[in-house]
């Protein structure tokens, strides 16, 4: 028996359902292929960044240098020595005499001599060079001091341990220091005062 009708439509070709493409395995994902020049450029950039980061870390963690020490006090590096004395007058006709001292510095910044005085109220001093003047390390300076007796009753007949009060200044401090010039200066000063005030010392 023949008949006609529409049967089920058969798909053409393969009737098997195809599996979908599997998702790519992350382990097999490849980066874009770079040229050797580009790889060198990228590697250099990473290396430079690493060096910069390391240098910054070293800079931030480096030990801080110790601050420089303060300069010494001027009296610690300045000295005065007695050289000689000359009496101008005699028998009270002139109450002035001169003596020479020398000052020098051992080290440090320059020192300025602001004042030279002594403890006797009846004796005044002037200097050449005129105060203030500077003293540098390694360059001694001679100072001529002119002393004038203004009142014999206020100077000693025998100066046992005379000294000079010197005001000094450097970049660190300003200070007054007493310098003892030694036994020879004491003897010469006593002799000069006796000459200047011979009539009043009798």
């Amino acid at each position: 028996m023949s008949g006609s009708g529409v049967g089920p439509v058969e798909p053409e070709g393969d009737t098997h359902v195809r599996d979908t493409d599997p998702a790519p395995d992350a382990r097999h994902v490849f980066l874009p292929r770079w040229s050797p020049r580009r790889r060198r450029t990228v590697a250099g950039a990473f290396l430079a960044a690493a060096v910069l980061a390391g240098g910054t870390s070293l800079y931030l963690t480096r030990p801080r240098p110790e601050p420089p020490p303060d300069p010494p006090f001027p009296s610690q590096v300045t000295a005065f020595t007695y050289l000689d004395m000359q009496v101008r007058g005699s028998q009270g006709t002139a109450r002035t005499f001169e003596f020479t001292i020398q000052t020098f510095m051992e080290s440090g910044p320059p020192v300025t001599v602001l004042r030279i005085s002594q403890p006797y109220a009846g004796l005044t001093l002037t200097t050449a060079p005129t105060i203030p003047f500077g003293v540098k390390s390694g360059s001694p300076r001679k100072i001529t001091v002119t002393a004038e007796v203004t009142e014999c009753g206020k100077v000693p007949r025998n100066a046992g341990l005379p000294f000079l009060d010197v005001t000094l200044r450097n970049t660190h401090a300003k200070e007054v220091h007493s310098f003892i010039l030694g036994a020879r200066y004491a003897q010469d000063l006593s002799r000069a005062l006796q000459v200047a005030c011979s009539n009043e010392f009798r």
Side-chain angles (χ1 to χ4, degrees):
M1 172 177 172
S2 63
S4 65
V6 177
V9 177
E10 297 288 339
E12 295 182 356
D14 191 0
T15 60
H16 296 286
V17 179
R18 295 184 179 180
D19 295 331
T20 58
D21 293 334
D25 192 339
R27 291 175 298 176
H28 300 288
V29 176
F30 295 97
L31 295 175
R33 299 176 65 88
W34 288 344
S35 66
R37 180 177 180 182
R38 187 173 182 184
R39 285 198 296 270
R40 288 194 299 270
T41 301
V42 173
F46 278 112
L47 179 60
V51 170
L52 180 60
T56 302
S57 176
L58 289 175
Y59 177 80
L60 295 176
T61 59
R62 78 193 192 285
R64 295 292 187 266
E66 292 294 330
D70 291 332
F73 285 91
S75 63
Q76 295 175 333
V77 294
T78 309
F80 287 81
T81 56
Y82 171 69
L83 299 180
D84 56 32
M85 185 174 295
Q86 296 179 351
V87 179
R88 288 184 176 180
S90 62
Q91 303 302 318
T93 57
R95 292 185 174 184
T96 61
F97 55 92
E98 290 182 353
F99 60 94
T100 306
I101 56 178
Q102 181 174 270
T103 179
F104 61 95
M105 278 186 57
E106 296 176 358
S107 61
V111 169
T112 301
V113 179
L114 299 174
R115 188 170 183 262
I116 296 177
S117 62
Q118 47 73 48
Y120 308 127
L123 190 65
T124 61
L125 305 180
T126 57
T127 65
T130 305
I131 287 176
F133 59 85
V135 184
K136 295 181 180 180
S137 177
S139 300
R141 296 197 69 168
K142 287 186 178 181
I143 307 164
T144 299
V145 181
T146 300
E148 180 181 1
V149 179
T150 58
E151 190 174 348
C152 287
K154 294 183 178 181
V155 296
R157 183 167 185 172
N158 292 303
L161 193 63
F163 56 88
L164 294 181
D165 289 324
V166 183
T167 304
L168 304 170
R169 181 182 65 199
N170 66 1
T171 56
H172 179 54
K174 175 183 176 181
E175 60 179 337
V176 179
H177 191 77
S178 297
F179 291 91
I180 298 175
L181 301 182
R184 191 165 62 89
Y185 171 68
Q187 294 169 1
D188 290 349
L189 178 61
S190 296
R191 188 178 302 112
L193 293 176
Q194 289 176 11
V195 170
C197 298
S198 57
N199 293 331
E200 299 190 31
F201 281 165
R202 292 175 183 175

